[in-house]
Amino acid sequence: MSLAVLSSRALFGLRVWPVQVEVHVGSGLPAFSIVGLPGAGVRESRERVRSALLSSGFEFPAGRITANLAPADLPKDSGRFDLPIALGVLLASGQVADARGRAPDVRHYVLAGELSLTGSIVPADAALAIALSVVRDDPQAVLIMAPAAAGAAARVPGLKVLAAGGLDEVVAHFAGQAGLPIATPARDEPVDEPPVPCLSDVRGQAAARRALELAAAGGHGLLMSGCPGVGKSMLARRLPGLLPPLSAEQALEVAAVHGLARSRLSLSRVPPFRAPHHGASMPALVGGGARPRPGEISLAHHGVLFLDELPEFGRQALEALREPLETGCVTVARAAGSCTFPARFQLVAAMNPCPCGWFGHPHPRRECRCSREAVARYRARISGPLLDRIDLHVGLGAEAAWLDAPPGEASAPIRERVRAARDRQLTRQGCLNADLDGAALDHHGAPDAEGQGLLLRAVAAWGWSARSVRRAQRVARTLADLDGGDRVEAVHMAQAIQYRPDADA
């Protein structure tokens, strides 16, 4: 055989594309060409493949070798094409045959792995993303990867993954001499990060604790405003401890996104918590780059994104959060194409009431010296449309007697209440209250007559937009779920109205 066709995968963002690796060995002056819009990492495969073949005891054909990566208009990068190219060279030059001397059937195999100069296989990037794509495109396909990557890919249900440590093992498998072992799902690595802090560490701040429980129960966004040191960051970092563990499917999605950012391959059931610095740029938050990578909002998928010192973030970066907060995803467009990253996160933000931070502080030594214009300019750094997309707005005051206050309620019992409220929502409507919209919100979140009257008076008093009304209804529905009620009552609507930013005006 002078032509071999194998299958691999190319990545553009989180989207995985099937790629046919066609290798032809013909007569002519010795040459090795790779075509099909290869990037620098793919063009360098020629030297890695040549050395890997010789180091593994095979011959490198003395002829004209052409490797085509189809489709030709799809950009390709990374060294994951080394393994299929090397095997294609061996198949096309007749160095691999089964016991009957025939070329092996490779139609249902997908290969992804970088080769070292010694012929060993290096784990490919984004193993979980590749595995999810393979099982979706062809459930009967068999994926061959390096052992470390294969263990991660084997976590995907319904996919057969083979672990290969070197090129010679792959050749022996297709020649029928020694089969490759089936990869077993990698065990969870020992957690090397500190445990999620407990809410019992927070003394006082009853209103903020209640808002944090409400945010966890309904998946709502939360903005806390208060003087320095009142506990805003402390509260925010305890939100993941109130959330239920991720499901197996959610953990796979989170690990797949983190794999694109070259994070570790282990899975965790703890919701991710991301807290970027306020100097982060817009691409750092939403994703970007010539070869798009996920940003902080995607790394916080199914978890919490905490933006401390919210007004200090760049205006462009903050405004880029508007669409992901509504849609749960972000699309990064580039000349080579566009890719969509998941970004269904809970936004928790914190800010000071003024530039110096002491506006409204009761102690005379902490008196605010900012002018009205300075306070207005500081608060205007956050646009109205962005504030309108945050469900819960809470002000934290300084509490002089917090030292004498007993420890607050621990996270564990609160997490059980949150779990019960979420179970009610998922059973009733199939989603969290923060995602309710349209007719479903009218059906499940309609308040009683008295509550409807309160809502109409709030709309008339503050000129609320339709979005503000909908968000107040969602919060009221979550308050009713925490109380175990089937109907949104006036007391729930009254509390929900107090969490809107206009309620303090």
Side-chain angles (χ1 to χ4, degrees):
M1 176 188 292
S2 61
L3 177 66
V5 180
L6 299 101
S7 180
S8 188
R9 291 294 186 271
L11 275 79
F12 189 79
L14 193 58
R15 190 167 185 180
V16 183
W17 299 85
V19 172
Q20 275 196 342
V21 181
E22 303 168 344
V23 181
H24 179 265
V25 177
S27 59
L29 294 175
F32 191 178
S33 303
I34 299 178
V35 297
L37 210 59
V42 181
R43 290 194 298 269
E44 292 172 351
S45 293
R46 295 175 296 184
E47 306 306 322
R48 291 193 296 269
V49 167
R50 185 193 307 270
S51 296
L53 289 175
L54 297 175
S55 299
S56 301
F58 302 105
E59 295 182 2
F60 190 81
R64 186 172 186 83
I65 304 173
T66 304
N68 177 43
L69 307 180
D73 58 348
L74 178 68
K76 304 165 189 73
D77 205 353
S78 170
R80 74 176 63 89
F81 299 103
D82 290 359
L83 180 58
I85 290 175
L87 184 60
V89 171
L90 295 175
L91 289 170
S93 59
Q95 299 184 58
V96 182
D98 58 19
R100 298 182 179 180
R102 298 178 302 183
D105 185 4
V106 296
R107 288 176 297 176
H108 291 288
Y109 285 88
V110 178
L111 299 95
E114 179 182 333
L115 291 176
S116 71
L117 300 185
T118 63
S120 61
I121 302 176
V122 181
D125 294 333
L128 273 174
I130 294 174
L132 290 170
S133 168
V134 171
V135 76
R136 183 173 56 248
D137 295 341
D138 183 7
Q140 304 301 320
V142 179
L143 180 61
I144 299 179
M145 306 183 88
R155 293 178 179 270
V156 177
L159 177 64
K160 182 179 180 181
V161 185
L162 302 181
L167 177 60
D168 53 346
E169 297 179 14
V170 177
V171 173
H173 172 80
F174 284 107
Q177 300 171 359
L180 291 172
I182 298 177
T184 57
R187 296 181 179 180
D188 291 332
E189 298 177 1
V191 178
D192 57 359
E193 55 186 358
V196 178
C198 183
L199 196 56
S200 61
D201 299 332
V202 180
R203 297 173 182 261
Q205 299 297 357
R209 291 171 58 93
R210 172 64 172 174
L212 203 66
E213 179 179 348
L214 180 59
H220 304 289
L222 172 64
L223 173 62
M224 295 178 286
S225 176
C227 300
V230 296
K232 303 185 295 293
S233 300
M234 192 175 186
L235 285 160
R237 294 185 182 278
R238 281 151 179 78
L239 178 57
L242 307 184
L243 300 175
L246 299 178
S247 66
E249 182 180 356
Q250 290 174 335
L252 280 174
E253 291 180 14
V254 171
V257 174
H258 282 248
L260 295 180
R262 289 185 168 86
S263 299
R264 62 181 185 176
L265 295 177
S266 60
L267 271 68
S268 174
R269 294 297 182 94
V270 179
F273 180 86
R274 307 292 298 188
H277 187 265
H278 59 258
S281 63
M282 185 186 74
L285 279 180
V286 303
R291 301 288 299 174
R293 294 284 183 85
E296 290 292 333
I297 64 174
S298 296
L299 296 177
H301 183 54
H302 290 314
V304 178
L305 177 69
F306 176 46
L307 301 183
D308 199 6
E309 306 295 344
L310 185 65
E312 303 299 335
F313 281 82
R315 182 65 175 252
Q316 188 180 23
L318 289 181
E319 296 307 303
L321 299 179
R322 290 192 197 178
E323 290 81 4
L325 283 172
E326 293 285 342
T327 62
C329 62
V330 58
T331 300
V332 179
R334 292 293 180 266
S338 63
C339 58
T340 300
F341 296 109
R344 192 162 297 281
F345 59 92
Q346 274 189 257
L347 175 63
V348 179
M351 61 178 289
N352 295 322
C354 67
C356 76
W358 305 115
F359 183 83
H361 197 282
H363 200 282
R365 290 178 178 246
R366 298 294 189 183
E367 181 181 358
C368 175
R369 304 185 185 279
C370 301
S371 64
R372 290 186 177 181
E373 292 77 10
V375 174
R377 284 196 303 270
Y378 178 77
R379 296 181 179 179
R381 293 179 184 177
I382 310 172
S383 68
L386 179 59
L387 289 175
D388 204 31
R389 284 171 165 83
I390 302 177
D391 293 349
L392 306 172
H393 295 250
V394 181
L396 280 69
E399 298 181 351
W402 68 270
L403 278 172
D404 297 329
E409 187 179 11
S411 295
I414 300 176
R415 184 167 56 248
E416 292 305 315
R417 294 199 296 268
V418 168
R419 188 197 301 271
R422 288 194 169 207
D423 288 344
R424 291 175 62 89
Q425 297 165 40
L426 295 176
T427 301
R428 181 180 62 240
Q429 65 220 16
C431 66
L432 296 181
N433 289 332
D435 300 323
L436 267 180
D437 204 1
L441 181 57
D442 291 333
H443 178 69
H444 299 294
D448 59 15
E450 186 178 354
Q452 184 70 11
L454 285 173
L455 182 60
L456 292 176
R457 289 196 292 274
V459 172
W462 295 304
W464 278 359
S465 65
R467 181 188 292 119
S468 296
V469 173
R470 290 304 201 182
R471 293 192 177 275
Q473 288 180 304
R474 295 180 186 125
V475 172
R477 178 64 265 181
T478 303
L479 286 164
D481 288 329
L482 283 172
D483 289 344
D486 295 327
R487 184 72 185 272
V488 178
E489 301 176 356
V491 63
H492 303 132
M493 184 56 68
Q495 294 179 53
I497 290 173
Q498 293 177 3
Y499 286 117
R500 298 303 301 165
D502 302 300
D504 296 330

